[in-house]
Amino acid sequence: MDFSLTEEQEMFRGHIRKMLDKFGGTQLAREMIDNNPENLKKVYTTLAELGCSGINIPEEYDGMDLDALDLVPTFEEMGRSLVPGLFMETSALVVPILKKYGTEQQKQQYLSAIASGETWISFAALEPFNDFSPAGIQCTLVQHDGQYVLNGTKTLVPEAELADAFLVLVRTNQEDQEDGLSLVLIDKTEELNIEKQSSFDESTHVAKIEFNQLVIKEDQIIGEVDKGWTQLQEGLLYFNAALSSYIVGAMESVVNMATEYAKIREQFGQAIGRFQAIKHSIVNMKVNLEIARSLSHYANWVVDTDEFDREAAIYSARTYATEKFIEVSAHNIQIHGGIGFTEEIDCHLFVKRARYYDQYLGSTPFYQEKVVASLGW
Amino acid sequence: MDFSFTKKEEKFRTELRTWLEANLPEGWLEGKRDLPEDLDEYSRVLRAWQRKLYEGGWAAIAWPKEYGGRNASLMEEIIYHQEMVRVKAPPLINYIGIHMVGPTLIDIGTDEQKEKYLKKILTGEEIWCQGYSEPGAGSDLTGLKTRAVKDGDRWLINGQKVWTSFGHVADKCFLLTRTSTHPEKKHRGITVFMMDMHQPGVETLPIVQMDGHKDFNEVYMTDAVATDADIVGKVDSGWHVLIALMLHERTGIGAELFTLEKQFNDTVELAQQYKVNGKPLIENPLVRQKLANFYARVRGSLLNYYKNLTTTIKNGQPGAETSIDKLVVTELNQALSAFAVEIQGHQGVLFDKDAVADPKWQHLFLASFGQTIGGGTSEVQRNTIGERVLGLPKDMGR
Ligand SMILES: Cc1cc2nc3c(=O)[nH]c(=O)nc-3n(C[C@H](O)[C@H](O)[C@H](O)COP(=O)(O)OP(=O)(O)OC[C@H]3O[C@@H](n4cnc5c(N)ncnc54)[C@H](O)[C@@H]3O)c2cc1C
């Protein structure tokens, strides 16, 4: 038995960390608050040059044909610096879905472009006043004289301005709830009506997209029509495993911040880290981090296997990570005292992102139910 | 990442399984697992089990071969714990002898001491207890007052120990005493004796625990006698001996984690059986959410244990991270057993023969309060993690 990342994986982590530090770490997220994605674009180019965007893409499409576990250092490091953008949606949602369900032509069109870092893809699922369940998807794609026409509104689409294409979840059949959804890939064109939405996590941008009689070609539909929900579930396994890694990285930053501050900040003549109220609070954060890390490493390993606990492991990694991220980022503010409540230092960035991800593509109870259901209980 | 076991490890598992099937007490595998209430009878049965383990070569697998062990690898120890939990094997009455005293003697004992004690530990002929805590020395063991004074060629020991697990069945005590009269540093001047529990000056009184059991004791020593030959390590350097001993607890938490995992599965079963409003409780969304949360925590703790174990295997010795495992397993055990009682509703308070489900839940719940205290309280574990893993400044007073 060996439950650890390999030396190569850890070495790779080192390269990414160095690169992100050079760009100022969380500075990248702060620049997004100011609507300035220039450095972020450079980071994405560098990530592609380092090979990150091709890690899980087959060799025939110019990738490295490695496993989800090989993406873990990248995601953890991105999480550490709260790097925004579409890396996760592209590599951990779209790529696995395309690999498994895409047609040869779709693979050729997208996989190589993704591997080279030319194409980043966002995901449009949610709709106003609706949740992330099959019944919540009402955007309709209707066949008309040999053409497909799309109508409806999507909200909370991440980083629309950075996207080259969108993976859109649409209703293709009104009769059947689950078996009536399809996934389509839509390139970003002038025709799309995109409007930025404001979110309290300003370091990740979200947008509303309205589809008004948009004509879609049949070959934009991924795999079989009406099977989008099933396809998405498979993609979500990879996505949630990746998300748990990203959050582990973010939690690690938070624990480091709290620990370092508690060592230097003095009150009553001593470092506050000597007070157990503070010390024990940080230890609880650390314990939560390590459990989340162990769950997430396992989740990223198991996702490429057919172990019996594949789904339960991944969904429990996700719920545990999102839940504890909220908790540790809140404690971090408390430990910092007044300065923790300011915009000046990073504490708030993590709190906001924690809440954002908790409710992104499902909530804690939503995934807890999936854990239990996947175990057959 | 590799969760598989090697051929050699699998062979080890099969060998142990086969042996257990042939040697567990009669009816054990079929569920006849009641141990005698009467203390002498209880001790006799478990000593017999220890003896059987010894005869099969399964008494202390981690010990070197020359001392009667199997030189087992960490992985083999893990498998051993897994299998023991799987068959709900009888408790190890000489746990302290096998896992703590024996390995320490092998490490730093004299040849005479090894000769005199090791085999008897293996066979269950001599059961051991640990005498550290005292009324005024708990988390801070340096407050101990039990005194050993040299009197000619022997030592006279006076004082009181408390919370001594296995004290009522023990033949020998790994005893912490104060020997130096003016210690500048409180942890200096402590000496470890291997004290005979069956001599005139030693009196053992059971303490009734909150779960009704009497697993630990007060031990009073009035001019109890020991000799130089009974000292472990050197006079006044007992603190180092204690640290050496703690390093030997290589895999023990694993057994608790495997047990926890099993208990979690049993909790799920309970939620499936138990009905509210005519419907199995497991269909209740709130119960499902809690179960999912426990699933994540139990799995996460076990995986984290594997992660730390991997580091231990690579580094050759466990790091401070292992305190995380002790903290997590005991607190989780408390939360889980409370939940198992909670889901029984009103009937959760019914005890022993009147319990509606397996009465083990009520017992586990009550016993869980000892786990977060014994072996170092949760607070002390948190100090250790804060200081040794995170590098935070030391607790005041130390
Ligand atoms: C089931 C069980 C079995 C045991 N078996 C044995 C045995 O075999 N041999 C043996 O010698 N002892 C044994 N003990 C004793 C055990 O090691 C002590 O109970 C334990 O170390 C705590 O000491 P105490 O009970 O004196 O509590 P105290 O040390 O008085 O603690 C009281 C409270 O103060 C807190 N506290 C103390 N110091 C600090 C600190 N620095 N920072 C923050 N909080 C602190 C504690 O966490 C606790 O909450 C056993 C105990 C139990 C419950």
Side-chain angles (χ1 to χ4, degrees):
Chain A
M1 197 202 62
D2 178 356
F3 185 44
S4 62
L5 298 180
T6 62
E7 259 172 57
E8 294 87 66
Q9 285 161 339
E10 290 296 349
M11 219 157 72
F12 195 59
R13 172 201 302 284
H15 293 309
I16 295 165
R17 180 174 297 189
K18 226 160 74 203
M19 186 273 285
L20 289 175
D21 283 351
K22 224 175 66 198
F23 279 97
T26 51
Q27 189 52 32
L28 288 160
R30 289 181 172 275
E31 286 167 3
M32 288 300 273
I33 299 178
D34 302 331
N35 274 322
N36 171 15
E38 287 322 303
N39 280 322
L40 183 68
K41 285 182 183 162
K42 281 187 209 155
V43 164
Y44 269 55
T45 310
T46 318
L47 284 172
E49 280 164 10
L50 285 170
C52 300
S53 51
I55 286 177
N56 60 342
I57 289 181
E59 275 174 32
E60 51 200 301
Y61 307 107
D62 310 317
M64 294 195 239
D65 210 5
L66 295 171
D67 298 323
L69 197 60
D70 295 290
L71 276 162
V72 164
T74 308
F75 285 127
E76 284 187 1
E77 289 310 307
M78 290 178 79
R80 245 176 150 261
S81 299
L82 287 182
V83 178
L86 293 168
F87 198 105
M88 257 190 297
E89 285 77 4
T90 308
S91 295
L93 184 66
V94 176
V95 167
I97 290 176
L98 275 179
K99 278 203 297 194
K100 186 145 187 200
Y101 303 106
T103 62
E104 185 51 37
Q105 183 242 330
Q106 286 164 343
K107 288 184 197 172
Q108 274 180 11
Q109 186 182 345
Y110 288 104
L111 289 181
S112 306
I114 290 171
S116 68
E118 252 168 79
T119 294
W120 300 100
I121 303 179
S122 182
F123 178 49
L126 275 173
E127 301 176 15
F129 300 111
N130 270 311
D131 70 337
F132 186 58
S133 65
I137 309 303
Q138 294 304 328
C139 264
T140 47
L141 184 66
V142 180
Q143 201 172 10
H144 240 307
D145 303 335
Q147 279 188 327
Y148 280 90
V149 182
L150 178 59
N151 277 295
T153 305
K154 293 288 180 186
T155 69
L156 279 159
V157 180
E159 315 291 357
E161 72 264 41
L162 297 175
D164 302 289
F166 299 92
L167 179 70
V168 189
L169 184 60
V170 297
R171 179 155 295 287
T172 34
N173 182 341
Q174 297 291 351
E175 316 289 283
D176 196 327
Q177 225 170 58
E178 260 186 36
D179 274 350
L181 299 175
S182 301
L183 284 171
V184 292
L185 263 172
I186 300 178
D187 286 338
K188 183 150 90 183
T189 60
E190 307 280 297
E191 284 172 67
L192 288 180
N193 185 355
I194 301 174
E195 194 186 312
K196 193 171 171 230
Q197 295 179 300
S198 86
S199 129
F200 70 55
D201 180 11
E202 291 174 290
S203 67
T204 47
H205 296 174
V206 287
K208 183 159 93 176
I209 305 185
E210 272 174 53
F211 301 109
N212 193 355
Q213 296 290 105
L214 185 76
V215 176
I216 307 266
K217 287 199 269 34
E218 181 160 9
D219 61 17
Q220 283 171 261
I221 300 173
I222 294 177
E224 221 180 306
V225 180
D226 290 349
K227 295 288 176 223
W229 189 250
T230 315
Q231 297 168 359
L232 183 61
Q233 297 317 300
E234 178 66 15
L236 281 178
L237 287 172
Y238 284 88
F239 182 83
N240 281 306
L243 179 62
S244 70
S245 294
Y246 186 99
I247 291 176
V248 163
M251 282 170 77
E252 189 175 301
S253 268
V254 170
V255 176
N256 281 346
M257 266 183 95
T259 307
E260 293 314 308
Y261 190 70
K263 285 180 192 167
I264 55 158
R265 174 68 178 167
E266 292 192 1
Q267 286 296 291
F268 301 99
Q270 50 218 312
I272 56 168
R274 201 185 288 282
F275 302 126
Q276 289 184 349
I278 299 291
K279 181 185 289 179
H280 291 190
S281 170
I282 300 175
V283 167
N284 290 343
M285 292 161 69
K286 170 72 172 170
V287 170
N288 290 334
L289 162 65
E290 292 309 323
I291 302 290
R293 195 199 307 275
S294 298
L295 282 167
S296 119
H297 284 184
Y298 183 72
N300 280 283
W301 173 78
V302 85
V303 70
D304 282 317
T305 71
D306 49 15
E307 296 281 321
F308 78 100
D309 62 345
R310 180 174 181 247
E311 289 185 25
I314 293 159
Y315 291 131
S316 56
R318 159 163 178 147
T319 57
Y320 190 86
T322 49
E323 217 179 352
K324 294 304 174 188
F325 186 19
I326 289 176
E327 199 175 301
V328 302
S329 58
H331 287 178
N332 190 33
I333 294 195
Q334 185 66 25
I335 287 159
H336 278 78
I339 200 173
F341 187 61
T342 65
E343 275 215 320
E344 183 189 332
I345 60 162
D346 283 351
C347 301
H348 70 106
L349 296 178
F350 289 95
V351 166
K352 293 169 184 170
R353 191 64 68 81
R355 186 50 71 181
Y356 178 85
Y357 278 138
D358 183 53
Q359 284 161 234
Y360 186 49
L361 302 188
S363 57
T364 299
F366 176 86
Y367 283 111
Q368 281 177 332
E369 174 53 35
K370 279 181 170 292
V371 171
V372 178
S374 69
L375 289 164
W377 296 336
Chain B
M1 206 71 66
D2 178 8
F3 288 96
S4 58
F5 293 97
T6 63
K7 274 220 177 76
K8 188 166 162 273
E9 287 160 357
E10 288 297 359
K11 202 173 139 248
F12 176 87
R13 187 190 296 279
T14 315
E15 198 186 330
L16 175 57
R17 228 176 239 199
T18 315
W19 185 86
L20 282 171
E21 269 159 30
N23 289 282
L24 276 166
E26 219 186 291
W28 193 270
L29 281 170
E30 291 76 48
K32 244 187 73 204
R33 301 193 195 99
D34 290 334
L35 291 167
E37 296 265 330
D38 176 72
L39 198 61
D40 291 337
E41 211 24 40
Y42 174 87
S43 161
R44 197 191 56 75
V45 169
L46 290 185
R47 277 176 201 255
W49 170 241
Q50 175 78 54
R51 173 98 207 172
K52 222 169 194 183
L53 285 169
Y54 165 72
E55 282 160 1
W58 298 104
I61 60 165
W63 291 17
K65 283 209 177 82
E66 55 190 300
Y67 299 115
R70 285 179 180 244
N71 225 348
S73 66
L74 278 178
M75 283 318 296
E76 285 168 340
E77 276 190 75
I78 292 303
I79 293 168
Y80 184 83
H81 291 314
Q82 283 177 337
E83 291 303 311
M84 291 298 178
V85 169
R86 201 179 57 85
V87 299
K88 301 194 171 114
L92 202 57
I93 193 170
N94 210 9
Y95 187 90
I96 288 166
I98 301 282
H99 289 288
M100 294 162 165
V101 178
T104 308
L105 288 182
I106 290 170
D107 222 18
I108 56 175
T110 62
D111 288 342
E112 293 76 47
Q113 289 172 340
K114 292 179 194 169
E115 182 68 31
K116 186 166 169 199
Y117 296 112
L118 291 180
K119 178 151 178 225
K120 289 182 178 167
I121 288 177
L122 290 177
T123 57
E125 205 171 324
E126 280 179 355
I127 307 293
W128 284 74
C129 65
Q130 290 173 316
Y132 307 153
S133 306
E134 295 182 11
S139 299
D140 179 10
L141 282 180
T142 64
L144 68 94
K145 294 218 160 54
T146 292
R147 186 164 287 287
V149 178
K150 190 97 192 215
D151 173 42
D153 58 359
R154 50 183 206 162
W155 293 80
L156 291 182
I157 303 171
N158 283 282
Q160 182 200 343
K161 293 289 167 182
V162 72
W163 320 130
T164 316
S165 303
F166 303 101
H168 49 303
V169 288
D171 306 288
K172 294 279 168 191
C173 181
F174 199 79
L175 185 79
L176 230 52
T177 64
R178 187 157 287 294
T179 35
S180 162
T181 40
H182 46 87
E184 326 74 79
K185 285 243 165 101
K186 276 168 58 197
H187 61 270
R188 300 229 182 99
I190 292 172
T191 302
V192 174
F193 284 91
M194 295 182 282
M195 185 184 73
D196 186 0
M197 295 288 283
H198 301 305
Q199 55 176 308
V202 177
E203 194 187 0
T204 306
L205 296 176
I207 302 173
V208 184
Q209 296 159 198
M210 62 181 275
D211 60 354
H213 289 196
K214 296 176 197 161
D215 299 323
F216 58 26
N217 310 264
E218 291 176 296
V219 180
Y220 292 90
M221 289 146 295
T222 318
D223 285 341
V225 175
T227 66
D228 278 344
D230 298 326
I231 293 173
V232 187
K234 294 195 183 73
V235 175
D236 288 351
S237 67
W239 202 252
H240 302 292
V241 178
L242 203 61
I243 290 167
L245 177 129
M246 283 167 183
L247 276 180
H248 283 296
E249 245 314 53
R250 304 197 301 177
T251 59
I253 300 292
E256 287 170 43
L257 277 159
F258 301 134
T259 308
L260 185 72
E261 201 180 35
K262 203 160 178 33
Q263 269 154 20
F264 172 72
N265 291 332
D266 292 349
T267 311
V268 172
E269 217 170 273
L270 184 66
Q272 284 165 331
Q273 288 166 355
Y274 209 80
K275 293 203 175 78
V276 169
N277 233 340
K279 273 209 261 174
L281 202 57
I282 197 148
E283 290 174 16
N284 176 329
L286 288 176
V287 170
R288 293 172 79 76
Q289 279 171 21
K290 284 198 178 171
L291 284 176
N293 181 278
F294 276 119
Y295 179 81
R297 290 161 72 192
V298 171
R299 284 295 293 165
S301 311
L302 189 61
L303 289 165
N304 198 60
Y305 173 70
Y306 286 147
K307 184 172 73 188
N308 289 335
L309 194 72
T310 302
T311 315
T312 304
I313 292 171
K314 284 182 182 165
N315 296 349
Q317 66 177 45
E321 291 78 14
T322 50
S323 297
I324 296 181
D325 298 324
K326 149 76 166 114
L327 177 67
V328 165
V329 72
T330 53
E331 295 200 336
L332 193 46
N333 176 62
Q334 200 166 97
L336 181 69
S337 51
F339 179 62
V341 172
E342 179 194 316
I343 61 180
Q344 297 174 40
H346 301 299
Q347 319 198 48
V349 300
L350 291 174
F351 203 40
D352 280 345
K353 65 177 183 13
D354 288 319
V356 284
D358 187 336
K360 78 171 179 188
W361 296 117
Q362 280 74 10
H363 277 286
L364 284 171
F365 168 64
L366 296 178
S368 73
F369 290 91
Q371 291 197 0
T372 49
I373 297 169
T377 65
S378 292
E379 288 73 21
V380 168
Q381 300 300 331
R382 284 194 167 86
N383 284 347
T384 306
I385 298 164
E387 290 157 22
R388 300 211 15 237
V389 179
L390 294 169
L392 287 167
K394 278 223 151 82
D395 196 26
M396 279 182 264
R398 285 189 299 140

